[in-house]
């Protein structure tokens, strides 16, 4: 700001403005000193701050900032560029990489270093997994498993339509929308004939949805459960035993015989191992000789009297 401009801002000098600086100085009658050093401001350039006059030297000492680059004061006649409480001369406000001026240009910072957007992008911005070009700061990008894409490059490998925020499936490093993935890759459930995208079960080399793979008797899901089959139908153990297993001659509950469980069989009758005991003394007869009396089984000692 020139001395004439600074003086115009003070109503005390209105009368002298059209007479030139010399006449103004000559006709100045009242004392007018620097607020800080008290030196006379007659005939000197000065700056008003909150209606208080300061000589140039005092003003710069008290209020001017130091440049981040050259560490020199940014004088009253210099342009002060500031960003996040930091200040630069306009000629010092440069990209740290290519040294281009950042005055009136967009810029970015990394570890407090100023960079033009081109240098920042080349140095730090992600590269699109599809077109391999830089994803510029501020532009929308899509990310998945450590890879990044431009929004328009993140497309279905089959229909080439942008996926955006829709669900998708990745196969062999390619992305597919659900519709295209089902058409191209998904197996069909042998029960409902619909594509299996997640939660499939394989039984006898045939694909099933886990919710379709159920016991033919009680309809309970069999995925993750012990089951068996009969005549190509799958059964949970309870239904299979109730429908097909022999009944214990003692406790009358089913004997599954599954999973390696042992049982005793004699003359069309079967017993759980734990149920094959002497009718009188209850001693276990597993692996021992025994006698029968009608429907009862007896150990040799209890059968002596028979």
């Amino acid at each position: 700001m020139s001395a004439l401009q600074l003086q115009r801002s003070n109503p005390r000098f209105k009368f002298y403005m059209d007479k030139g600086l010399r006449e103004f100085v000559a006709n100045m009658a009242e004392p007018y000193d620097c607020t800080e050093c008290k030196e006379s401001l007659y005939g000197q350039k000065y700056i008003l701050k909150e209606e208080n006059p300061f000589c140039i030297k005092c003003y710069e000492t008290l209020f001017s900032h130091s440049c981040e680059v050259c560490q020199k004061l940014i004088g009253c006649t210099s342009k002060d560029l500031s960003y996040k409480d930091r200040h630069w001369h306009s000629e010092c406000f440069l990209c740290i990489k290519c040294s281009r001026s950042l005055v009136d240009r967009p810029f970015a910072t990394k570890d407090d270093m100023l960079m033009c957007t081109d240098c920042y992008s080349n140095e730090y911005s992600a590269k699109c997994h599809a077109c391999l070009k830089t994803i510029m700061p501020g532009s929308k990008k899509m990310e998945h498993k450590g890879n990044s894409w431009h929004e328009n490059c993140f497309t279905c490998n089959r229909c080439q339509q942008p996926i955006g925020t829709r669900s998708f499936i990745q196969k062999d490093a390619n992305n597919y929308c659900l519709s295209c993935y089902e058409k191209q890759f998904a197996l069909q459930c042998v029960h409902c004939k619909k594509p299996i995208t997640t939660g499939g079960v394989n039984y006898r080399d045939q694909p099933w949805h886990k919710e379709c793979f159920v016991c033919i008797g009680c309809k309970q899901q069999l995925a993750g459960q012990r089951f068996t089959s009969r005549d190509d139908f799958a059964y949970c153990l309870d239904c299979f035993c109730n429908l097909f297993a022999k009944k214990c001659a003692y406790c009358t509950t089913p004997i599954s015989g599954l999973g390696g469980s042992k049982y005793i069989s004699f003359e069309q009758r079967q017993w759980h191992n734990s149920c094959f005991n002497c009718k009188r003394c209850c001693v276990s007869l597993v692996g021992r000789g025994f006698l029968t009396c009608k429907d009862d089984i007896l150990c040799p000692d209890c059968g002596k009297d028979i």
Side-chain angles (χ1 to χ4, degrees):
M1 186 179 292
S2 68
L4 191 59
Q5 288 173 318
L6 293 170
Q7 290 160 357
R8 275 199 180 122
S9 65
N10 191 332
R12 297 178 59 189
F13 305 115
K14 183 175 180 181
F15 178 77
Y16 301 101
M17 281 298 95
D18 296 328
K19 297 183 178 182
L21 185 59
R22 288 185 180 180
E23 186 175 351
F24 159 73
V25 173
N27 287 278
M28 191 68 198
E30 296 180 14
Y32 201 68
D33 302 333
C34 172
T35 303
E36 179 67 17
C37 67
K38 307 305 180 184
E39 293 290 330
S40 174
L41 296 176
Y42 294 161
Q44 305 295 321
K45 293 180 180 180
Y46 67 93
I47 297 175
L48 286 175
K49 184 175 177 61
E50 297 176 356
E51 299 300 322
N52 295 315
F54 292 88
C55 65
I56 301 300
K57 182 179 180 181
C58 288
Y59 182 90
E60 291 181 344
T61 301
L62 292 172
F63 306 111
S64 292
H65 302 98
S66 294
C67 176
E68 287 284 327
V69 176
C70 67
Q71 302 302 317
K72 295 179 181 179
L73 283 178
I74 303 173
C76 298
T77 57
S78 299
K79 195 172 183 179
D80 185 337
L81 301 178
S82 64
Y83 174 71
K84 290 186 176 180
D85 296 326
R86 301 164 67 204
H87 299 263
W88 292 263
H89 292 106
S90 57
E91 60 271 19
C92 296
F93 197 59
L94 309 174
C95 171
I96 194 69
K97 294 290 182 181
C98 67
S99 299
R100 284 193 298 177
S101 173
L102 298 177
V103 177
D104 298 325
R105 287 175 178 267
F107 64 91
T109 61
K110 179 70 175 180
D111 299 329
D112 289 336
M113 296 188 299
L114 300 176
M115 280 180 276
C116 63
T117 53
D118 290 340
C119 289
Y120 182 89
S121 298
N122 291 333
E123 192 83 14
Y124 300 108
S125 292
K127 302 295 188 293
C128 177
H129 191 66
C131 69
L132 304 181
K133 294 180 181 179
T134 299
I135 301 175
M136 298 299 290
S139 61
K140 192 171 183 179
K141 68 177 179 179
M142 314 303 290
E143 294 180 308
H144 178 66
K145 292 185 177 180
N147 293 321
S148 301
W149 291 263
H150 292 108
E151 184 178 18
N152 291 334
C153 293
F154 189 58
T155 59
C156 171
N157 191 64
R158 187 172 185 269
C159 67
Q160 300 302 313
Q161 294 301 308
I163 294 174
T165 57
R166 293 181 296 157
S167 298
F168 69 97
I169 296 176
Q170 193 172 66
K171 181 177 177 61
D172 300 329
N174 294 317
N175 301 318
Y176 297 88
C177 63
L178 291 184
S179 177
C180 287
Y181 180 85
E182 291 173 357
K183 292 175 183 176
Q184 188 161 340
F185 301 109
L187 297 173
Q188 286 191 337
C189 175
V190 297
H191 176 71
C192 69
K193 309 304 179 184
K194 294 181 180 179
I196 301 172
T197 54
T198 58
V201 175
N202 190 51
Y203 176 63
R204 291 187 174 178
D205 295 326
Q206 292 181 318
W208 302 67
H209 290 113
K210 66 178 182 179
E211 56 269 22
C212 293
F213 187 59
V214 297
C215 172
I216 194 67
C218 67
K219 308 304 180 184
Q220 176 185 353
Q221 289 188 22
L222 297 176
Q225 307 295 325
R226 293 182 63 195
F227 67 93
T228 188
S229 63
R230 185 183 179 98
D231 301 328
D232 292 330
F233 294 109
Y235 296 86
C236 68
L237 295 187
D238 288 341
C239 286
F240 182 84
C241 291
N242 289 331
L243 291 170
F244 306 111
K246 298 181 181 299
K247 304 298 190 291
C248 175
Y250 176 73
C251 69
T252 70
T253 59
I255 302 173
S256 69
L258 300 173
S261 60
K262 296 180 180 180
Y263 64 96
I264 308 299
S265 180
F266 177 72
E267 294 182 350
Q268 306 302 315
R269 291 191 295 168
Q270 289 78 31
W271 292 263
H272 296 105
N273 271 16
S274 59
C275 294
F276 193 59
N277 304 319
C278 174
K279 179 66 174 180
R280 291 186 178 179
C281 68
C282 297
V283 66
S284 174
L285 299 177
V286 176
R288 298 178 58 183
F290 62 92
L291 302 172
T292 62
C293 179
K294 297 181 181 180
D295 291 335
D296 298 331
I297 54 174
L298 303 169
C299 66
D301 290 340
C302 293
K304 289 179 181 179
D305 299 333
I306 298 175

